Amino acid sequence: MSRLREPKWVLILIFLSIIAAAPIVQTLRELHGNDGVIALEVFGEWPTAESLRSYEEKMEGANWAAQVSRRWLQFAQFTLLKEGGEKVVVGSQGWYFFKPGLNYMLLRHDSTHASDATNDPVAAIVDFRNQLEARGFRLLVLPIPNKESIYPDRVTPRAKNLRSVMAPRTREVLEGLSRAGVEVVDLFKEFSEVRRRDGPSAKTPLYLAQDTHWSPAGVALAA
């Protein structure tokens, strides 16, 4: 029975050694440095929200284990798992997308309604238009379609038959501006028509593949 238990204890010791190695090496490195042991700085001043936050950020920035391993872990996540981090979605054909924009496009319609009148963009834009007109200025609203709205088929192969998708809340805002008589340049319509006309094999995309900005062709079309 003791022989059967030996591998288990070996694994436990290896696991504990890995956990203990990081703080031990970190402390030894700091002892040989000029700033002292950072972990002890928490006792140097009265604990407040600001001091603890500053202490945490300093500890994180000085962590040698994180500095050494982070780039390799990120590389492995990107290449093996297609994970682009907090703000990037790795699509197909080498395209990247802005995760907050994609999340907004995928939100349920009933979850994007404003909680009160002060959050209504249509009312704010109409009020701004009226203020400008009173001073002799003309307002022209130019909503910019997100890259994933025009190229949903580059987000995932499962959307290969889609050419354009507008978030329901965005469509609602545009319709509200139209009813209020606000002048709007509908780039979503223009970009979508080009995509439908050129098809999935278009050689001149309207957006940069690995950036959120327009390509020269997209700039020319918008202009």
Side-chain angles (χ1 to χ4, degrees), residues 14-30 39 59 62-69:
I14 292 175
F15 178 72
L16 294 176
S17 299
I18 293 174
I19 294 178
I24 292 174
V25 174
Q26 179 74 31
T27 302
L28 293 175
R29 287 169 60 91
E30 292 175 359
M59 286 280 290
N63 191 324
W64 73 272
Q67 295 172 1
V68 171
S69 62

Side-chain angles (χ1 to χ4, degrees), residues 92-143:
S92 61
Q93 304 180 44
W95 279 53
Y96 303 159
F97 294 87
F98 187 50
K99 185 177 290 186
L102 181 60
N103 290 339
Y104 172 78
M105 190 180 73
L106 297 176
L107 280 177
R108 290 169 54 92
H109 182 247
D110 55 4
S111 66
T112 57
H113 280 290
S115 58
D116 53 68
T118 59
N119 290 328
D120 182 11
V122 175
I125 294 172
V126 170
D127 180 64
F128 185 51
R129 188 271 312 270
N130 295 339
Q131 293 182 53
L132 291 176
E133 286 185 347
R135 291 165 174 78
F137 294 96
R138 172 188 171 194
L139 175 65
L140 182 65
V141 179
L142 182 69

Side-chain angles (χ1 to χ4, degrees), residues 18 31 52 60 89 122 138 144 165 171 175 179:
I18 293 174
L31 287 173
L52 291 176
E60 183 178 356
V89 172
V122 175
R138 172 188 171 194
I144 306 300
V165 179
R171 188 180 302 279
E175 291 174 351
R179 289 192 299 267

Side-chain angles (χ1 to χ4, degrees), residues 160-214:
K160 62 181 180 180
N161 295 323
L162 293 177
R163 294 294 171 267
S164 57
V165 179
M166 181 185 288
R169 179 58 175 158
T170 300
R171 188 180 302 279
E172 186 179 272
V173 170
L174 293 180
E175 291 174 351
L177 293 176
S178 178
R179 289 192 299 267
V182 177
E183 289 187 86
V184 177
V185 176
D186 192 352
L187 288 184
F188 183 87
K189 177 182 177 182
E190 301 294 334
F191 279 38
S192 298
E193 287 180 354
V194 170
R195 278 238 64 200
R196 293 190 185 98
R197 184 184 69 232
D198 294 346
S201 60
K203 295 182 180 180
T204 307
L206 301 174
Y207 289 80
L208 300 175
Q210 298 182 350
D211 198 286
T212 59
H213 294 86
W214 291 328

Side-chain angles (χ1 to χ4, degrees), residues 5 33 75 77 83 103 121 126 149 184 199 207:
R5 294 176 181 176
F75 178 76
Q77 287 179 337
E83 173 61 46
N103 290 339
V126 170
S149 296
V184 177
Y207 289 80

